[in-house]
Amino acid sequence: TSGRGLELQYNTSGNFGSLVAFNRGSTTWDPLRLAGTSVSIFVGATTMAFVNATGVGIRNTAPTTDLDVTGSVNAASSEVVN
């Protein structure tokens, strides 16, 4: 087949599903854009990430800053960047 579009896939050997934007003509990935007033990512029934106009919440569905994390944070560097 050819053309561009969205594909919903399920990998039975890895036991995971995927939503992908794909260009079959050139066999490359296309950008995938999710649009709405907010976007939530769930693991089971738990909201793990939440994005709205205010910011990104990690385990937080009401971010009050650009990045709002509930829980511990592990960073690969000790630098503080403003």
Side-chain angles (χ1 to χ4, degrees):
T1 54
S2 63
R4 289 184 156 142
L6 288 177
E7 296 181 6
L8 185 58
Q9 304 171 345
Y10 189 79
N11 181 311
T12 55
S13 62
N15 294 320
F16 63 88
S18 302
L19 174 64
V20 298
F22 197 70
N23 180 344
R24 288 197 174 273
S26 62
T27 62
T28 58
W29 302 106
D30 280 342
L32 178 61
R33 177 179 169 186
L34 301 174
T37 57
S38 65
V39 176
S40 299
I41 298 173
F42 288 84
V43 174
T46 303
T47 304
M48 299 304 288
F50 181 84
V51 181
N52 65 13
T54 303
V56 176
I58 306 296
R59 291 192 178 174
N60 181 336
T61 59
T64 58
T65 59
D66 291 340
L67 178 61
D68 200 334
V69 179
T70 299
S72 300
V73 175
N74 184 17
S77 173
S78 60
E79 292 182 42
V80 176
V81 179
N82 290 327

